[in-house]
Amino acid sequence: VFFLFLRNERFFFLNRVYLVTGILASFFFPFISVSYSVVLPQVANIPPAGDIIVNNIKEADYSGISNLRLGLITFYVSGILFVGFMFLKQSKSLINVIKKADIIPHHQVKLVRTSRFSSSFSFFSYVFVNPSVTEIEIKEIMNHEMVHIRQKHCLDLMLVQLLCILQWFNPVVWIYIRLIRQNHEYIADKVALQRTSDPAIYRAALLNQIVGPPVTSLVNS
């Protein structure tokens, strides 16, 4: 539905609501069960139970099915542990950078200038900026990242990351992460362009950031 009808629309906030609702629905829908009654016609000419003679009863061998089930469960849990470990590893690396870097208070957020990352991004109330970025670019970057922080886009990413940990085998989940990220950028650009004093400088600052390498999965880059 999103690809067919909503992806090219400019209702970015409604798209965000739709995508987040889709995640919540995927968690709760499996717990909804629908019951209904089926009336079958009576079957005639069934011999009495006493007249049925059963010989050579053999117990079914379910060991193969049990081994397959155990193997699938082990494979699934291993995937959860691996993806969860990578998630914690990325989060820990950001926390370590925050502890070691010089933090500059900037209005309601904290500016972290570090050479660890070439691209600028936000992580909850922290904005990471490379020291090579000029003051003019920092102003436009903060204008952009403040939208992510005020609208708490990190919560959406945390939610989709949880979905990714539980459904790591599902390729649609990985596409879903990209769609949510992309919509976040549309929201931030729309608001930031309304607040900037020079849209040309804002666009140039974003283009300078694009050439940097990708950052971790919990950030808006």
Side-chain angles (χ1 to χ4, degrees):
V1 172
F2 184 85
F3 265 97
L4 291 176
F5 303 108
L6 300 176
R7 184 176 54 164
N8 296 322
E9 297 296 332
R10 290 182 172 268
F11 306 111
F12 303 130
F13 176 75
L14 293 179
N15 284 353
R16 181 190 180 190
V17 172
Y18 180 86
L19 289 171
V20 173
T21 303
I23 299 176
L24 297 176
S26 71
F27 281 119
F28 291 109
F29 273 11
F31 296 100
I32 300 175
S33 60
V34 178
S35 302
Y36 57 92
S37 300
V38 177
V39 180
L40 298 177
Q42 183 177 1
V43 180
N45 300 325
I46 297 179
D51 297 338
I52 299 176
I53 301 176
V54 181
N55 296 319
N56 299 324
I57 298 177
K58 294 182 179 180
E59 185 177 352
D61 185 9
Y62 295 105
S63 59
I65 297 177
S66 299
N67 293 336
L68 177 61
R69 181 181 300 156
L70 179 61
L72 290 175
I73 292 175
T74 303
F75 181 65
Y76 171 65
V77 173
S78 299
I80 289 178
L81 294 176
F82 176 77
V83 177
F85 172 77
M86 296 301 298
F87 167 74
L88 294 176
K89 182 179 178 181
Q90 293 171 354
S91 301
K92 185 179 178 180
S93 65
L94 288 176
I95 294 173
N96 290 336
V97 171
I98 292 173
K99 290 180 179 179
K100 297 177 182 179
D102 296 329
I103 299 176
I104 305 171
H106 190 280
H107 298 292
Q108 299 176 351
V109 302
K110 304 175 185 67
L111 180 63
V112 181
R113 305 203 69 164
T114 175
S115 58
R116 176 76 178 272
F117 310 106
S118 59
S119 299
S120 302
F121 59 90
S122 60
F123 178 71
F124 289 97
S125 62
Y126 294 91
V127 177
F128 294 76
V129 178
N130 193 280
S132 61
V133 176
T134 65
E135 293 298 325
I136 296 177
E137 287 181 317
I138 287 179
K139 179 182 177 182
E140 299 301 335
I141 290 171
M142 295 298 291
N143 186 25
H144 176 95
E145 298 300 335
M146 284 293 290
V147 181
H148 290 308
I149 294 172
R150 286 171 178 166
Q151 297 193 14
K152 305 200 183 314
H153 290 170
C154 256
L155 296 180
D156 297 1
L157 296 178
M158 291 284 285
L159 185 62
V160 75
Q161 188 67 43
L162 176 60
L163 181 68
C164 183
I165 292 174
L166 295 177
Q167 294 192 20
W168 57 268
F169 56 87
N170 187 353
V172 176
V173 171
W174 301 96
I175 299 174
Y176 215 92
I177 293 176
R178 182 176 179 181
L179 293 176
I180 287 184
R181 235 183 242 287
Q182 186 182 62
N183 192 63
H184 284 172
E185 298 309 317
Y186 290 154
I187 293 173
D189 284 337
K190 182 178 180 180
V191 177
L193 280 170
Q194 295 172 351
R195 295 176 178 174
T196 183
S197 58
D198 192 334
I201 294 178
Y202 175 79
R203 295 188 185 99
L206 290 187
L207 287 174
N208 288 338
Q209 297 298 306
I210 291 175
V211 297
V215 289
T216 56
S217 63
L218 272 185
V219 300
N220 293 293
S221 59

